[in-house]
Amino acid sequence: MLAAAIWLCSILSTFYGERTWALPIFLVFVALAAWVYGQFVQRGTKHRGLAGVTVLLLLVLGYFYGLERQLQWREPITEAEAAKTSTASTVSPSVGNWQNWSADAVAKARGEGRPVLVDFTAKWCLTCQKDVKPVLESQSVQDKLKGLNAVTLVGDYTRFPSDIFDELARHGRAGVPLVLVYPKNGIDDPIVLPEALTPGIVLSALDRAAK
């Protein structure tokens, strides 16, 4: 549970930036309220009413101080603010030369007669991080990409940008992960890879895209 809480806090920083530190403060108030409730309301025999009021006050104070005043949970950071620190490296595989996805970037690479691999992913997507990313980082896939002089692009869906939402819908997906391989001929539709990805599947698609 602690690991899950840490992971959720790291994801929250995408939407609230440095203000995310206020969430652990709120959770401390919740934990203290839970302790008071268990110790003095459930197990205690005296002052149970006072303990109940204390619990309520702790929760209210934690909410208004932690969530409303410090986190300002109703006002996530804007797209412009997020864009200042958003780069392909924040979500892309750790090896390879990954650039930010855009329709223009795909068109440019295809115009040069190069295969294109696009990884639509997000920080909060466990399948993307635990299953898809290791496949794209594998030595065999990286060697194939370099051998074909392929362009690799990453689309960050962490904050649900509308252009990526539309692209996912266009390929019949409601969310990430989505990996596309565009043939180098610049004409054929992209090859849509399955969510259950393996190096062999990616290599096969790249071979097809190189013809």
Side-chain angles (χ1 to χ4, degrees):
M1 291 181 65
L2 179 59
I6 294 173
W7 177 74
L8 288 172
C9 285
S10 69
I11 298 302
L12 193 67
S13 65
T14 303
F15 300 92
Y16 293 96
E18 295 182 356
R19 286 182 277 153
T20 302
W21 64 268
L23 179 61
I25 291 180
F26 168 69
L27 294 179
V28 168
F29 277 95
V30 173
L32 183 58
W35 179 81
V36 171
Y37 182 82
Q39 190 71 23
F40 297 100
V41 177
Q42 288 186 320
R43 301 174 187 171
T45 57
K46 298 180 179 180
H47 308 299
R48 297 177 68 181
L50 178 60
V53 172
T54 301
V55 168
L56 182 61
L57 288 175
L58 285 170
L59 292 176
V60 171
L61 179 61
Y63 171 78
F64 281 101
Y65 177 76
L67 299 187
E68 289 285 355
R69 181 176 177 180
Q70 299 299 328
L71 183 63
Q72 300 174 36
W73 68 275
R74 303 172 193 271
E75 301 175 8
I77 59 177
T78 65
E79 291 291 339
E81 292 173 321
K84 294 179 181 178
T85 57
S86 177
T87 64
S89 62
T90 61
V91 291
S92 65
S94 59
V95 292
N97 181 26
W98 297 85
Q99 304 298 323
N100 288 319
W101 171 88
S102 70
D104 290 340
V106 173
K108 180 176 182 290
R110 300 198 80 184
E112 296 171 353
R114 301 171 66 183
V116 183
L117 186 147
V118 183
D119 176 26
F120 291 105
T121 184
K123 289 182 179 180
W124 42 258
C125 173
L126 289 179
T127 301
C128 303
Q129 306 303 322
K130 300 301 182 182
D131 296 334
V132 175
K133 185 176 288 187
V135 169
L136 299 179
E137 292 174 340
S138 65
Q139 191 63 51
S140 58
V141 170
Q142 285 297 313
D143 288 345
K144 176 66 74 172
L145 290 168
K146 291 177 182 177
L148 297 177
N149 193 28
V151 174
T152 51
L153 305 173
V154 61
D156 187 357
Y157 192 55
T158 301
R159 290 176 57 82
F160 312 103
S162 58
D163 55 346
I164 294 181
F165 175 85
D166 293 340
E167 189 71 8
L168 294 173
R170 195 161 70 88
H171 295 288
R173 294 287 178 85
V176 292
L178 172 62
V179 178
L180 303 176
V181 176
Y182 288 82
K184 71 174 186 178
N185 61 26
I187 300 174
D188 294 342
D189 291 335
I191 303 167
V192 181
L193 303 189
E195 293 185 27
L197 210 56
T198 65
I201 292 174
V202 179
L203 294 175
S204 177
L206 288 172
D207 284 334
R208 292 165 55 191
K211 294 179 179 179

